[in-house]
Each structure stands twice: as structure tokens, then as C-alpha cells.
Amino acid sequence: MIRDVEVLSSLVETIRRFVHERLMPAEAQVESDNLIPAALVEEMRQLGLFGLSIPEEFGGLGLTMEEEVTIAMELGYTSPAFRSVIGTNNGIGSQGIIVDGTAVQKAYWLPKMATGLVIGSFALTEPDVGSDAASVRTTAVRDDDHYILNGTKRYITNAPVADVFTLMARTGGKGADGVTAFLVPANSPGLSLGPIDKKMGQRGTRTCDVILEDCRVSADAVIGGIEGRGFKTAMKVLNRGRLHISAVCVGAAQRLCDESVAFAKARVQFGKPIAQHQLIQAMLADSGTETFAGRSMVMEAARMFDSGQRIIQEAASTKLFCSEMVGRVADRAVQIHGGAGYMQDSPVEHFYRDVRLFRLYEGTSQIQQIIIAREMTAERR
Ligand code: COS
């Protein structure tokens, strides 16, 4: 439910202007430098973008899911690297604290995250643990009023700039019930970072390994103060994260549609703009239709989330459809652009590489299919 339509539309208008006037002109620079200019990060901070989903009582904007995905679609219109800077503070880096943290943990971390003064990150994946999230191998052993952590976390978004990690480690036996979520400050003794990962796309984003060697954290770093709840915390965080990522996919698909239409109207072949050739029209029509379908799914699933409904299946379906859909739209965009779409100075070239990641992180398409089928066949239905 959107609480105040006027406030939201003015926020959306502000973000849209910021995307068009400040972020889109910097896309080529981010692509070549593999870095987001610090001045733009500061502008994002000033706009409150780090605290979109953090409750107002902790200094955030306290947006509903419907409001948040509306903003995420606007941000998805430009290079995903910009959204990634603010993505962990709004999603996987803060939501564990919001959904399961103690009052003290919320009061300490959330106001700092909401302003972007502290960057939160989420460390679940490991060298041998990805899709099978319940098999976390990193260990946490109690030592008086501390825990000693050992293990390696892999491909951790924003790790090179993070101040605190929501980090899953094993405190108990095998399986999901043995996993505990910790809030591990980046400056904890025994925590170090690997070299920055070299990725196919999404240049300007920063991921790397987080290495824990007898890393000491205080016992009150356990999220919610209870061992064995980390897997469920991670799953709840990911349900929400999957809707946010889906919205970013829709924003990117809209951009690719707009780039394709502009190019097809300007490019003349066989004596007329290619937009008037029916085979090009078919590709435009399929991309426009699929983008609309993705947007509709995102909005409906977000409304269900806001009304407190169980959305495990819907979040997985939306993520599956939107991430696969934007891949198809990007492929058609390159096809419509022809050779020009294969050149590095074309935005569709980097979007083509950038959107590939959406089918992988926060659960691969195959994991979404498993979740959907399980929910459909569960006894309770
Ligand atoms: N939301 C809320 N609770 C969930 C949940 C979800 N999406 N998925 C599982 N749970 C709960 C289950 O209900 C179960 O609770 P009970 O013990 O009370 O019954 C518990 O968590 C264990 O669930 P399950 O038995 O389904 O665990 P599995 O090991 O079989 O989980 C999947 C398998 C595929 C669902 C899980 O490993 C997963 O989501 N993997 C993908 C992880 C991922 O996205 N990685 C990307 C990196 S993070 S950016």
C-alpha cells in the first residue's frame, strides 16, 4: 500500500531526474574506470538512497515494498553499479537486522546504514557453498563472551567498502538449524579481504572474498541473540531481495526497450527506418510486452508482501521471470542495434553483460524453479 501518493511521486520524479541528469552521463566513465565517482556516491547519500527501506524510526525513508520497487525500477534504468552501491544497505546488508535483530543491534547499526555512513554487506556464499545455502562451512566456536570464526566467504558484494557483514557461520550440527547469523565488523581482528574480483560486467561494483582466520567477535554479535536461526534469517532477507532485484531487471529492460526504439527509428535501411520493418517490430513488441509483464509481477508481488502474505513462491517466480526476461530483452536490443550494439561505446553492449548476473545472484534461475515447485507441491496448499 502506498501511504502518500504525492510524496512518492515527488520522490520518484527526483530519482528519475537524478538518474537522467547525473548517473546516465557518468555511465561511460564508470565503465572505463571500473569505479563510481565519490561525488556521485555522496549525492546518493544526500538523496537518502542508502536508507530507502530502513524504518523511519532509525533514520531511513521507511518505504513499503511497493514504494521501494518503484524506486528500484527507476535506478535499474542506468548502470546496475549505481544501484549496487546502495543495494546492500537497503537489502541483504540491513534486512537481517531489521527482521531478526535485537533492539540494541537495530539502534546501533540501522541509523548509520540509513545515512550511508556505514556500509552493510551480506556474507553467505563460500567457495564450496552457493545454492546449497544450508551447508555453510564457516565455523563459529564460542569462547567465553566471544566467538572465534574461521572460513572464507566468496563473491561478497560491497565487501571492499563494507563496515559490517551479516555473516552466516555454523555454530551447531549439520544443516539449516546449525547456521547462525552474525554481525561482524569489518575491522574485527582476524578478518581480511581477498583481491577485488574481475567480473564479466557490472563494472564499478566491488566484490571480493572475506577471509576469517581466528576472527574474534563479541557474543552479542549474534543476530537476535539466538543461535541456529541464521538460515531462516538469510531466507527471509532473500525473499525481499529477490523482489528488489526483479525491479532492477524491469528498469534495465525498460532502458533497453527505449534504446532499441530510439535506434530503430533513426536507423534507415532499405529506404525506411528499421522500426517500420516487421521483423524489427516483432522484436520490439516482444520486449515491450515482456517488460510490462515483469513490471506487473513486481508490483503485484510487492503488494502481497506489504499485506503480510506468504510470498516465497511469488518472489521466486518474479525473480525467475524478470531476470530471464531482461536477458532476452538485452539480446534483442543487441540484435536490433546490429554491429553498433556490439561496440563498447553502446550502452546495450554493457547492459548485455551486466544483466547476465541477475540470473545468478540471490539464487540462480534453477534455485528459483526448485523453490517454486516445492511451494506448489507442499502439503499445506
Ligand atoms: N523463506 C522463509 N523460510 C524459508 C525459506 C524462505 N524462502 N526457505 C526455507 N525456509 C525455511 C523452511 O521453511 C524451513 O523451516 P522449518 O525448519 O521450520 O521447516 C527451513 O528454512 C529450512 O528450509 P529447507 O528445508 O527448505 O532448506 P533447504 O536446505 O532444503 O533449502 C533452498 C533449499 C534451495 C530453498 C535454499 O538453500 C536456497 O534458497 N538456496 C539459494 C541460496 C541463495 O540464494 N544463494 C545466493 C547467494 S546469497 S546473494
Side-chain angles (χ1 to χ4, degrees):
M1 189 187 56
I2 292 174
R3 289 157 301 173
D4 187 330
V5 175
E6 265 181 38
V7 172
L8 181 69
S9 58
S10 110
L11 180 64
V12 170
E13 193 43 50
T14 303
I15 305 295
R16 185 172 298 165
R17 214 176 319 117
F18 178 64
V19 165
H20 283 259
E21 293 174 8
R22 302 291 299 140
L23 300 185
M24 285 167 63
E27 285 176 1
Q29 188 192 340
V30 169
E31 198 60 24
S32 65
D33 297 354
N34 195 12
L35 188 72
I36 298 183
L40 287 178
V41 177
E42 181 53 28
E43 285 183 52
M44 291 190 230
R45 227 171 66 70
Q46 299 291 339
L47 281 169
L49 292 181
F50 283 89
L52 295 171
S53 63
I54 294 177
E56 283 172 292
E57 60 177 307
F58 299 112
L61 297 182
L63 299 188
T64 63
M65 199 67 219
E66 189 177 353
E67 293 166 338
E68 183 186 327
V69 293
T70 305
I71 300 296
M73 285 192 270
E74 295 297 328
L75 292 168
Y77 199 78
T78 185
S79 296
F82 296 116
R83 201 279 326 171
S84 186
V85 174
I86 58 133
T88 48
N89 273 32
N90 283 298
I92 54 180
S94 69
Q95 288 297 324
I97 307 173
I98 293 172
V99 297
D100 282 336
T102 63
V104 173
Q105 288 166 343
K106 289 179 190 180
Y108 183 78
W109 290 109
L110 295 179
K112 299 180 184 75
M113 284 191 190
T115 54
L117 290 174
V118 154
I119 300 297
S121 180
F122 181 78
L124 171 63
T125 301
E126 300 180 356
D128 296 311
V129 177
S131 295
D132 184 6
S135 293
V136 163
R137 293 190 184 178
T138 294
T139 55
V141 177
R142 183 86 190 226
D143 178 30
D144 242 347
D145 54 355
H146 282 77
Y147 282 87
I148 312 290
L149 276 65
N150 279 287
T152 298
K153 295 293 178 178
R154 181 138 291 173
Y155 310 141
I156 304 305
T157 302
N158 283 338
V161 291
D163 300 287
V164 62
F165 297 93
T166 293
L167 188 143
M168 309 305 151
R170 186 163 301 283
T171 48
K174 281 188 177 169
D177 292 342
V179 178
T180 296
F182 289 87
L183 284 167
V184 181
N187 60 5
S188 301
L191 187 152
S192 62
L193 301 177
I196 290 177
D197 299 326
K198 293 178 182 163
K199 300 188 292 296
M200 174 194 284
Q202 301 220 358
R203 287 172 65 77
T205 58
R206 289 277 184 271
T207 62
C208 71
D209 280 3
V210 177
I211 302 151
L212 306 151
E213 292 165 307
D214 291 332
C215 171
R216 276 180 85 78
V217 294
S218 161
D220 56 23
V222 172
I223 291 186
I226 303 170
E227 285 189 8
R229 288 206 329 205
F231 180 81
K232 282 191 186 162
T233 299
M235 291 299 118
K236 286 185 254 178
V237 166
L238 287 169
N239 289 338
R240 186 187 171 105
R242 286 167 186 158
L243 291 185
H244 183 104
I245 294 299
S246 302
V248 178
C249 292
V250 171
Q254 187 60 57
R255 171 72 180 278
L256 288 158
C257 283
D258 292 351
E259 294 285 346
S260 299
V261 167
F263 185 87
K265 281 178 160 178
R267 174 80 170 162
V268 174
Q269 289 294 281
F270 302 104
K272 57 184 180 183
I274 61 169
Q276 291 174 22
H277 290 294
Q278 288 187 344
L279 292 178
I280 300 290
Q281 289 176 341
M283 285 193 277
L284 291 175
D286 284 349
S287 290
T289 302
E290 290 199 285
T291 303
F292 176 59
R295 178 177 292 109
S296 306
M297 287 179 82
V298 167
M299 296 309 288
E300 178 61 14
R303 280 184 212 114
M304 290 176 72
F305 181 97
D306 286 335
S307 66
Q309 294 181 58
R310 181 186 174 92
I311 54 119
I312 296 174
Q313 180 182 332
E314 289 75 13
S317 292
T318 306
K319 162 79 162 54
L320 172 66
F321 180 81
C322 291
S323 60
E324 294 282 338
M325 174 277 285
V326 72
R328 292 190 292 272
V329 172
D331 191 65
R332 288 186 206 112
V334 172
Q335 198 66 22
I336 291 165
H337 281 71
Y342 201 68
M343 297 299 132
Q344 287 184 355
D345 59 2
S346 163
V348 302
E349 186 271 345
H350 76 74
F351 268 99
Y352 182 81
R353 287 181 286 105
D354 293 345
V355 302
R356 190 64 184 81
L357 184 58
F358 296 135
R359 288 153 65 186
L360 305 174
Y361 70 2
E362 300 205 17
T364 61
S365 292
Q366 290 66 37
I367 286 295
Q368 309 309 331
Q369 287 172 318
I370 289 171
I371 294 170
I372 296 160
R374 274 197 192 184
E375 284 290 303
M376 289 172 70
T377 54
E379 283 304 319
R380 85 184 94 77
R381 290 244 163 186

